[in-house]
Amino acid sequence: MRLKEDLENAALNVLDSGRPLLTHLNADTSWVLTLPYPPSVTPPYGRVLFNILIDPWLVGSQTDYFSWFSKQWHVIPSSVQTIAELNECLRTLETTIRSRQEYSDGSIDTSIAPLEDSDTNNIDLVVISHEFTDHCNQKTLREIASSTPVLTSKPAARLISSWRHFQHVHSIAAFSNKTHDWKNASRVGIPSWLRVARIVSNKDAMSFHSAILITFDIMASTEDASIEGLVYTPHGINAEDLKPLSLASPQINVLALLHGLHDIRISKRQLNLGAHNALRAQRISGSRYWLSTHDEVKKAGGLVNHFLRRKIWTIEDVLKEEKGRNETLEIGSPLADIRDIHFANLESGESLLLR
């Protein structure tokens, strides 16, 4: 299993650096964000990592409303085919890290061995961005342990609750111009050092172009220190709507922006905002990394497919065009040179350590 091998290789980097690990589960927009527990926190028995599963759709088709209207399938297989396989990979990551933890005198820490039970759930939190089935996939989600907390949008929360599978489903609080304190974001069922919020626009009634903001303090910072965060926006969010991030209190150091490259439209309606908006969003947020997401060209059927128009951008193309425009950087972005962008297009099963 490729993902299992990749995570074994990444384990030492996580152990040595104490930094987050981001893993792309498929070629589309399913992710796992792995966070080391802060030094000041005692993790659950057998655990050293906290795993957040984002928008999981592993196998099968996804349908919007009716199959005759819109139906899609993955072209590139997901790196794991079941949640059980994913849990096995996450346990392997835990085991590898725990087996290499040493005391200052060089002896191995074996006091808390990782749990080897094949039924152990290593998915600590599920975050769903939208109610659409390529983000909120019932087949995949019902494989997850029912005790796992789920944070999502209000429409998706109603949908997921109707399945009567998960015990804890909560809608995500908003982060906007009026609510700058990230500590007021959703915190039900999750550790005190972690928060999840939604960034929405008043101009987007359906919140199609919104973002998930995950903030965390894994460095055991003081009360006034900056907190790290990740912005996940599979359809793209209008770049200007990220400006409240600069007003956050305590300050948020945006570590990564997940935003696609492809410009996707149906007639005059833009679905995925594409690379140029992503570049502006990266400038406004000041994110250290930009990772593409939701760019898989899937096998598609149904009426919508005949009207779908996709402009495929590469990072080289968009940077070349941006340089030609000679646009100025916005709101004091630290990117004085466009070459300073750390862009990654992770394939299915690949991981990136966020330093």
Side-chain angles (χ1 to χ4, degrees):
M1 192 186 304
R2 176 181 172 180
L3 178 59
K4 188 174 181 179
E5 294 174 355
D6 285 353
L7 289 180
E8 284 181 315
N9 294 332
L12 284 180
N13 288 330
V14 175
L15 177 61
D16 292 341
S17 65
R19 300 300 297 152
L21 184 71
L22 191 59
T23 303
H24 205 183
L25 295 180
N26 57 23
D28 197 40
T29 195
S30 299
W31 298 85
V32 173
L33 175 62
T34 298
L35 302 172
Y37 275 86
S40 59
V41 173
T42 301
Y45 177 80
R47 300 292 302 277
V48 293
L49 304 171
F50 189 93
N51 297 303
I52 303 173
L53 179 58
I54 303 170
D55 282 2
W57 167 33
L58 299 181
V59 296
S61 63
Q62 72 87 202
T63 300
D64 291 322
Y65 305 111
F66 305 99
S67 58
W68 59 263
F69 182 72
S70 176
K71 192 170 186 178
Q72 297 186 106
W73 298 261
H74 289 304
V75 171
I76 300 171
S78 299
S79 57
V80 289
Q81 299 296 293
T82 65
I83 291 297
E85 288 183 9
L86 175 58
N87 265 314
E88 180 184 349
C89 292
L90 296 175
R91 281 193 296 273
T92 297
L93 180 59
E94 293 266 359
T95 302
T96 305
I97 290 177
R98 176 62 73 184
S99 67
R100 286 166 170 77
Q101 284 190 318
E102 299 181 355
Y103 293 116
S104 58
D105 63 1
S107 60
I108 303 296
D109 179 5
T110 58
S111 60
I112 306 179
L115 299 176
E116 298 294 345
D117 188 346
S118 60
D119 293 330
T120 301
N121 178 37
N122 280 61
I123 299 168
D124 301 291
L125 174 66
V126 176
V127 173
I128 304 296
S129 63
H130 298 279
E131 68 273 23
F132 312 113
T133 56
D134 50 343
H135 305 273
C136 183
N137 188 268
Q138 183 175 1
K139 183 181 187 306
T140 298
L141 286 170
R142 287 179 71 91
E143 295 180 17
I144 301 170
S146 60
S147 59
T148 309
V150 179
L151 295 178
T152 184
S153 64
K154 289 182 179 179
R158 289 192 294 267
L159 175 62
I160 295 170
S161 296
S162 72
W163 304 340
R164 299 186 181 278
H165 174 71
F166 290 101
Q167 300 169 18
H168 310 286
V169 181
H170 306 281
S171 58
I172 302 175
F175 178 93
S176 67
N177 280 312
K178 296 180 180 180
T179 54
H180 298 152
D181 190 344
W182 62 269
K183 290 184 291 185
N184 289 329
S186 298
R187 56 184 182 271
V188 179
I190 59 178
S192 60
W193 48 271
L194 176 68
R195 293 290 187 274
V196 181
R198 294 186 82 220
I199 305 175
V200 296
S201 171
N202 293 331
K203 300 177 182 178
D204 184 8
M206 295 181 62
S207 298
F208 190 81
H209 296 126
S210 58
I212 299 290
L213 171 65
I214 302 175
T215 53
F216 43 88
D217 180 9
I218 60 174
M219 305 302 291
S221 302
T222 61
E223 185 76 13
D224 296 328
S226 64
I227 305 301
E228 293 183 301
L230 175 146
V231 175
Y232 170 68
T233 176
H235 303 136
I237 183 170
N238 289 304
E240 297 296 313
D241 291 328
L242 293 179
K243 285 188 174 180
L245 287 173
S246 66
L247 304 175
S249 176
Q251 181 182 350
I252 297 174
N253 174 24
V254 180
L255 195 57
L257 170 71
L258 278 64
H259 187 311
L261 286 167
H262 296 186
D263 184 326
I264 302 177
R265 301 169 183 264
I266 295 179
S267 186
K268 295 182 179 180
R269 184 188 179 193
Q270 191 164 15
L271 300 181
N272 291 15
L273 299 183
H276 284 288
N277 183 77
L279 193 56
R280 290 193 294 274
Q282 193 279 332
R283 290 171 176 171
I284 289 175
S285 67
S287 65
R288 193 178 309 171
Y289 297 90
W290 166 20
L291 296 95
S292 63
T293 193
H294 216 3
D295 282 339
E296 181 185 20
V297 182
K298 295 173 281 292
K299 177 184 175 183
L303 182 65
V304 168
N305 185 50
H306 297 289
F307 299 95
L308 201 67
R309 299 293 179 266
R310 180 187 296 262
K311 167 66 175 175
I312 297 178
W313 289 93
T314 66
I315 187 64
E316 292 79 15
D317 289 340
V318 72
L319 291 181
K320 181 178 179 180
E321 189 162 312
E322 286 284 319
K323 288 179 180 178
R325 292 179 179 180
N326 195 28
E327 293 184 351
T328 58
L329 300 180
E330 300 183 53
I331 64 163
S333 168
L335 296 175
D337 192 312
I338 209 164
R339 293 173 299 178
D340 290 339
I341 296 174
H342 299 284
F343 175 81
N345 187 8
L346 299 185
E347 297 181 359
S348 178
E350 288 189 329
S351 300
L352 178 68
L353 190 71
L354 303 177
R355 297 186 181 275

